[in-house]
Amino acid sequence: MKGPNVNIYKIQMAYFFREKSPIRTFGLISSLYAQLKDVFKTEPQSLPIPDEAPEDVPRCIWNDVNTSLTFNKVRLDFTFNIPSKFNWKQLLTEFNKKITVAIDEQEIIIDRVGLVSELMSADSLHELLKEYIQINKFNDAGEANISWLESIESYNVWTYFTINESKDINKIVFDINSLPECKLADQGTTGKEAMDKCAELLKGKMINVL
Amino acid sequence: MYYRSNNTVINQPIFWSFNGDDLKETITYVMNGLFGKIENSFFGKQGINENVVGYNKKKYDELEKVYSMAYNNINSLTKHYIVANATLDDISKLEYNWNDNGAQAFSVKLIERCRQIVSQLVAEPFVCPTACGSIQFEYEKENGEYIEFEIYEDRIEVYSESLINGEEEFVLYGITANDKMKQMVVDFYG
């Protein structure tokens, strides 16, 4: 099958902290600010949450037009849109380095990473897929979501296709993440290395989407 | 057993970002609820020590609900763009001759298309109707750079003025037009 012509529009990097990690909110914000102050034109917002609050309640939110960062005591998420003039891989590598430096400074251990990317397709996904799937046979469905999973080494690689012709939605999402049972630190792998590995897998998927 | 990085992201991939107004509302809501709960804990009939947060299961459960709501709300925050959507509401109510010069009313299909586009944009546009039947989305920066999209049912006409490329004008067609427009807004602020 001929693969679609795609480019990446948006990327989310997720870093999962080791359970019961001693996260000091202000410390992590300071470290992140030192690394990312030139990336954001805005200031990070520390949420006034007591220490007793559940771990998954956000402690910090930092938003700009094309970038967004949030963390709680379980994970840190960084999302960025990719302007056409930039190379996604270079941006990802740069951001990964900065974020992991900040996390390392706080002596937080990363046990797992995830990389979610949203792709635009210049071709009609429906046209490409209709040789195999006829969406209009599914009770006149207006939208089709098709997904499948591949396991590559110790990483899950999910592929999602979403097609809605009436709403002009025509996109692909890749979700690449390390297996929770293969804790990175126990494998001797750093969060930075694991995220770079996810980026390599993404690069491979970009070449061979289907 | 299979895992995803973030189920919320997968279900709603376009909703990763937060809107300032939503965030403010959410935080206000959470903090009001939180302070209310804490106040109740401290000034309840049973005294301070037995009701301090974390030591009273019932109170803690209540607090946890508040936190959970905050978490869920924050994670499902979408870019509502209240002004842009309100303008689209107003435009949808315009009738024939709304400009006293014979302009047509706007179709439901066009309004829906614009709503769909608005929900995916990284920044809120200034929205206005045009007499030629399109709905215009505009962005302008302090340095004078400007981009406008005239959205029709079947196409999007683009006009831009940038410091590097000067004036440009072209038309987007087809299923990828919305995506291309979305990318152009990213590039405008990139």
Side-chain angles (χ1 to χ4, degrees), chain A residues 33-193:
Chain A
Y33 185 75
Q35 293 296 324
L36 297 169
K37 61 179 183 292
D38 296 329
V39 174
F40 288 82
K41 293 189 184 85
T42 55
E43 299 291 307
Q45 305 297 314
S46 173
L47 302 184
I49 304 290
D51 278 346
E52 300 83 18
E55 293 185 327
D56 58 350
V57 174
R59 265 54 176 186
C60 167
I61 290 177
W62 194 0
N63 287 329
D64 203 340
V65 174
N66 279 329
T67 46
S68 170
L69 183 147
T70 180
F71 71 80
N72 53 35
K73 292 198 168 189
V74 179
R75 60 188 284 176
L76 180 150
D77 292 272
F78 178 73
T79 305
F80 59 101
N81 298 314
I82 301 156
S84 304
K85 63 185 176 188
F86 291 104
N87 175 301
W88 69 267
K89 186 96 185 323
Q90 281 176 354
L91 282 181
L92 191 151
T93 305
E94 182 189 338
F95 293 146
N96 182 32
K97 188 177 171 190
K98 287 174 180 288
I99 291 167
T100 49
V101 164
I103 293 173
D104 289 347
E105 260 180 25
Q106 294 299 309
E107 298 178 344
I108 299 167
I109 295 170
I110 299 167
D111 262 345
R112 193 181 157 223
V113 296
L115 180 67
V116 184
S117 50
E118 188 178 329
L119 287 73
M120 289 179 186
S121 171
D123 304 312
S124 166
L125 297 179
H126 191 173
E127 285 297 316
L128 287 171
L129 287 176
K130 75 179 182 186
E131 184 183 341
Y132 300 89
I133 303 163
Q134 286 185 278
I135 296 165
N136 54 10
K137 284 194 174 175
F138 292 94
N139 293 328
D140 297 324
E143 178 169 318
N145 292 280
I146 304 157
S147 68
W148 61 92
L149 171 72
E150 298 161 78
S151 290
I152 302 175
E153 298 170 35
S154 51
Y155 293 82
N156 282 325
V157 181
W158 284 94
T159 304
Y160 294 80
F161 275 46
T162 299
I163 306 162
N164 185 328
E165 288 176 355
S166 65
K167 290 185 176 174
D168 287 345
I169 296 173
N170 184 57
K171 76 179 164 206
I172 301 168
V173 173
F174 288 125
D175 182 347
I176 302 170
N177 55 80
S178 62
L179 296 173
E181 55 267 31
C182 297
K183 294 190 188 308
L184 296 174
D186 296 345
Q187 311 286 320
T189 306
T190 64
K192 179 179 177 298
E193 289 166 347

